[in-house]
Amino acid sequence: MTSETIISIENVFKRYPVGDGEFTALKDINLQFKRSEFAGLVGPSGSGKTTLLNIIGSLDSPTEGRAMVLGKNISELSHRESAWLRNKHIGFIFQVYNLLPVYTVFENVEFALLLQNIPADERKKAVMKALEWVGLADMAGKKPDKLSGGEGQRVAIARAMVKKPEIVIADEPSANLDAANTHAILKTMKKLNEELGTTFLFSTHDEKVMGYLERIVHLRDGYVEQDEIISPKSMTT
Amino acid sequence: MKLAFQLAYKNLVGAGLRTWLNVGVLSFSFIVIIFYNGLIDGWNEQAKRDSIAWEFGHGQLRNAGYDPFDPFTILDGHGVLEQKQAENLTPILIRQASIYPQGRMFSVALKGIDANQTTLEIPTQALRESTAAMPVIIGKNMADAAKLETGDEVLLRWRDKDGTFDASSATIVQVFETNVPTVDNGQLWISIEKLWEMTGLQGHATLFVANEKYQPEQIPGWKYESQTELLSDITDIIATKKVSGSIMYLLLLAIALLAIFDTQVLSVFRRQKEIGTYISLGMTRAQVVGLFTVEGSMYSIFAMTVGSIIGIPLFTYLATKGIAFPTASASRDMGVAMAERIFPVFGIQLILGTILLVVIAATIVSFLPARKISKMDPVQALKGKLQ
């Protein structure tokens, strides 16, 4: 594993206007994440987990401070550049899967590759491989409404992983899953993390998820309360 | 762009009934617009064709004193042309007269025409071939109005060149059918030689109808009107009918476009999570705006396809078989030649024009609500929060 820092959060503040005043969601956050980390942001609702993940995923930008992702300053990216960053390098897994309802499982997973103009035969191979990773190769032709919660989230993982991104951001991926499915998807993600070297960043307050994390960053009221290294991989330098 | 079309196609097909309702309304608009314009164009073509064949020929040389819209000019609006000047021209002399069918007085325009002419389709050979003392032919509308039939005799009263009344019995030797009301309603056609004899206006004509060989020249006391000038009234009337009719189909189109607009507005609100997902997967906002816009314009492409499936056989049938119209009253009411059957003309220009109109209109009404996406915060969109 390499020790390369691929995410660097420096003195980041995020403020939102609320009525006549403002709400500070992130307060002076300083964090670094290295390649192939399996880390999580943990904290109660409103602690700033999702806000921080959105900034790392270039869906949002800091009000103050600097967020560097894969050498790019998120605040300085144009819409096109941030779209390119997400398309090529970042995969997202959402709490409610966010699968596109009119597309089949195959088409949902294929979507990111379509945006990259990858030829059809290569796309097909990549999609089927991604579906094999998550054990859903036989469900390629099904529509999302025919899938169980666990299957839906596995499709979301396949969709995030098919383009082999450097970073996968998973926002409360287990919130709608039972224990068995939570363990199943976490095992899948862990396996992909180990095999492909993808950096996984979670936001969660699910203890089952925490059990798999190698590093846990505790957030409270927008502050980093504790940055806890659980397993030695994250310590690799 | 190809991707936007691929995705839009999948999204629309996946949306099911909502898509097909919009497509149904829009394809109906397509068919109505093309049908109505095709009908008007067909009527226009037929009216021009019939007017040329029955009244205008290849142009008319009118006496300068004659105004077809002023009956008071009939009395003196006539003259004589030299024989050389009258080559390739069919003389028509118009006089005012009265007939008395079943004792009722009926004012008519008594029109003398060369019985040997072939420029117009008025069946003047009947005047030539008849052995009656005063043979006349009339159109079907005139026959209906005056309750006259072939073989009937009717008292005809006219003035000679000195203004003296004279009267005689005229024989209806033929009732002809025409779509051109201006050679039918209130008109009695007689051999011009007979009319010269009756009025003492030997060699006089009110107007001359040109055949295709006639070369217009400046003749003092006469005014030449080309075929195009003569047809301009028809063109203007048809254009007016087209404009008034277009209000109906524009309303229909507006309803269809409103349906698309509503669907798009609803889509932008209902599909916020989807929009957020597109952006998180790496689409730019402009691409998402493009996708939604293409979805809207694709309604028009689907509608075109559905419209073709219904429209091609329907229009082919109508263009071949024509559409029946109640001609007698319609011709009188419209003032334009109208055949018993009108054969709509569905030209490529009409079809392409309609397609372009609907596609552009659908694209615009789709783009307007989709623009909102460009201002959307993807984080809020992912949460499905209204923005």
Side-chain angles (χ1 to χ4, degrees):
Chain A
M1 293 291 168
T2 169
S3 62
E4 182 193 357
T5 296
I6 58 171
I7 299 165
S8 175
I9 309 295
E10 298 163 24
N11 309 113
V12 162
F13 285 80
K14 182 68 187 179
R15 300 185 189 95
Y16 296 105
V18 178
D20 293 334
E22 61 182 20
F23 168 72
T24 307
L26 296 177
K27 297 165 188 166
D28 198 18
I29 304 289
N30 287 280
L31 288 168
Q32 273 81 43
F33 295 97
K34 294 182 176 15
R35 193 177 290 281
S36 85
E37 277 199 49
F38 202 78
L41 306 177
V42 173
S45 294
S47 59
K49 309 184 293 292
T50 301
T51 304
L52 184 54
L53 284 189
N54 285 335
I55 290 172
I56 293 170
S58 80
L59 288 170
D60 207 348
S61 56
T63 313
E64 203 179 314
R66 197 164 76 139
M68 299 291 292
V69 176
L70 297 166
K72 309 276 183 197
N73 186 340
I74 295 296
S75 303
E76 291 174 358
L77 296 179
S78 65
H79 285 317
R80 185 179 288 272
E81 287 166 337
S82 62
W84 183 85
L85 182 69
R86 288 190 296 272
N87 183 224
K88 295 287 282 186
H89 301 290
I90 303 173
F92 286 87
I93 298 168
F94 303 101
Q95 181 177 335
V96 286
Y97 329 136
N98 286 26
L99 298 178
L100 300 167
V102 298
Y103 298 173
T104 61
V105 165
F106 183 93
E107 289 164 345
N108 264 284
V109 178
E110 185 189 28
F111 193 92
L113 303 181
L114 276 172
L115 294 178
Q116 292 181 12
N117 292 322
I118 290 172
D121 52 342
E122 282 181 42
R123 283 203 309 265
K124 190 176 177 187
K125 270 187 218 163
V127 171
M128 290 316 293
K129 187 162 188 181
L131 288 175
E132 278 165 21
W133 288 336
V134 297
L136 290 176
D138 55 338
M139 292 197 173
K142 286 197 173 176
K143 289 276 179 75
D145 60 356
K146 304 288 177 204
L147 304 177
S148 68
E151 287 167 344
Q153 195 60 296
R154 278 149 66 195
V155 175
I157 295 169
R159 182 177 66 182
M161 292 303 300
V162 70
K163 57 191 178 187
K164 296 186 179 162
E166 282 150 289
I167 301 165
V168 168
I169 288 171
D171 188 8
E172 305 274 9
S174 62
N176 289 326
L177 300 179
D178 58 22
N181 274 312
T182 300
H183 287 297
I185 65 148
L186 261 299
K187 279 178 188 163
T188 305
M189 288 194 263
K190 187 80 182 153
K191 191 178 88 178
L192 292 169
N193 165 254
E194 284 163 4
E195 287 179 5
L196 303 174
T198 309
T199 305
F200 277 77
L201 286 184
F202 293 81
S203 90
T204 188
H205 46 246
D206 183 344
E207 290 190 1
K208 296 187 288 299
V209 176
M210 290 181 220
Y212 288 85
L213 300 177
E214 296 165 356
R215 175 182 174 190
I216 298 176
V217 177
H218 295 269
L219 292 177
R220 181 173 291 275
D221 298 331
Y223 291 106
V224 175
E225 195 179 49
Q226 188 186 356
D227 190 354
E228 188 182 4
I229 306 297
I230 310 292
S231 92
K233 191 170 86 180
S234 299
M235 300 290 286
T236 309
T237 56
Chain B
M1 204 57 178
K2 187 184 163 199
L3 177 65
F5 274 95
Q6 282 176 338
L7 299 178
Y9 175 80
K10 280 179 187 171
N11 285 343
L12 288 190
V13 171
L17 186 63
R18 190 183 61 195
T19 297
W20 297 114
L21 282 175
N22 283 338
V23 168
V25 177
L26 202 55
S27 63
F28 184 63
S29 305
F30 252 122
I31 290 172
V32 169
I33 292 172
I34 293 175
F35 169 76
Y36 186 78
N37 282 288
L39 181 66
I40 295 282
D41 287 346
W43 179 19
N44 193 8
E45 289 296 312
Q46 167 267 320
K48 285 181 176 175
R49 204 171 45 239
D50 286 352
S51 295
I52 290 167
W54 286 85
E55 188 181 14
F56 298 150
H58 288 264
Q60 286 185 352
L61 186 66
R62 288 177 182 162
N63 186 274
Y66 170 64
D67 176 356
F69 299 108
D70 181 1
F72 292 105
T73 61
I74 291 175
L75 187 64
D76 299 319
H78 53 82
V80 181
L81 276 190
E82 288 174 22
Q83 195 175 356
K84 191 170 179 298
Q85 289 172 323
E87 275 177 15
N88 298 314
L89 292 172
T90 297
I92 292 176
L93 176 63
I94 307 174
R95 309 308 294 161
Q96 285 174 313
S98 306
I99 56 170
Y100 296 85
Q102 299 169 12
R104 293 177 298 126
M105 192 180 85
F106 204 108
S107 292
V108 295
L110 183 59
K111 289 187 170 179
I113 185 168
D114 180 1
N116 296 311
Q117 66 84 30
T118 52
T119 305
L120 299 178
E121 286 194 18
I122 295 168
T124 49
Q125 77 281 0
L127 300 172
R128 197 171 60 231
E129 291 163 4
S130 170
T131 54
M134 189 180 284
V136 293
I137 55 173
I138 56 174
K140 192 168 184 310
N141 286 345
M142 172 67 185
D144 290 344
K147 298 199 172 7
L148 291 170
E149 292 175 358
T150 303
D152 283 355
E153 295 218 338
V154 65
L155 182 64
L156 172 67
R157 192 175 72 143
W158 71 94
R159 283 174 190 263
D160 66 14
K161 66 175 178 180
D162 300 319
T164 308
F165 280 111
D166 202 347
S168 180
S169 183
T171 307
I172 311 295
V173 294
Q174 187 174 339
V175 174
F176 59 86
E177 289 210 26
T178 177
N179 300 319
V180 183
T182 44
V183 299
D184 182 344
N185 297 333
Q187 301 189 29
L188 217 60
W189 292 87
I190 191 168
S191 159
I192 197 166
E193 290 184 344
K194 185 73 185 171
L195 191 57
W196 283 338
E197 185 188 312
M198 288 157 64
T199 57
L201 292 168
Q202 191 64 37
H204 280 250
T206 307
L207 59 95
F208 291 86
V209 179
N211 67 19
E212 70 278 7
K213 292 178 190 162
Y214 180 72
Q215 295 297 319
E217 57 179 311
Q218 287 285 349
I219 301 172
W222 295 85
K223 187 185 170 208
Y224 180 75
E225 288 208 42
S226 69
Q227 194 182 69
T228 311
E229 287 168 320
L230 291 167
L231 290 171
S232 64
D233 283 349
I234 294 176
T235 310
D236 291 348
I237 290 171
I238 299 285
T240 308
K241 300 275 175 214
K242 215 167 187 173
V243 169
S244 57
S246 65
I247 292 170
M248 177 192 66
Y249 73 70
L250 284 176
L251 275 175
L252 191 67
L253 183 62
I255 292 168
L257 294 176
L258 196 63
I260 294 177
F261 184 82
D262 277 353
T263 307
Q264 290 297 97
V265 170
L266 203 64
S267 281
V268 173
F269 280 104
R270 278 183 51 193
R271 295 165 63 190
Q272 292 209 54
K273 274 194 178 182
E274 189 181 326
I275 292 166
T277 307
Y278 287 135
I279 293 173
S280 70
L281 289 172
M283 281 181 96
T284 61
R285 288 172 194 182
Q287 277 179 308
V288 183
V289 172
L291 170 62
F292 274 65
T293 306
V294 170
E295 272 185 33
S297 22
M298 203 171 263
Y299 282 119
S300 59
I301 294 165
F302 280 15
M304 199 170 67
T305 312
V306 172
S308 302
I309 292 167
I310 300 166
I312 289 172
L314 176 69
F315 293 154
T316 307
Y317 176 81
L318 292 176
T320 315
K321 300 285 180 187
I323 301 164
F325 275 83
T327 53
S329 61
S331 287
R332 274 197 292 270
D333 293 347
M334 299 287 191
V336 182
M338 186 179 241
E340 280 181 25
R341 297 194 85 78
I342 288 184
F343 293 86
V345 176
F346 303 110
I348 194 79
Q349 198 181 349
L350 166 65
I351 292 167
L352 289 180
T354 308
I355 289 171
L356 212 59
L357 168 75
V358 176
V359 170
I360 290 173
T363 305
I364 291 170
V365 298
S366 307
F367 173 70
L368 295 176
R371 273 184 319 169
K372 193 177 165 61
I373 295 167
S374 64
K375 297 181 186 113
M376 222 174 241
D377 175 358
V379 173
Q380 300 301 317
L382 277 168
K383 290 176 185 167
K385 284 190 179 171
L386 292 182
Q387 295 177 62

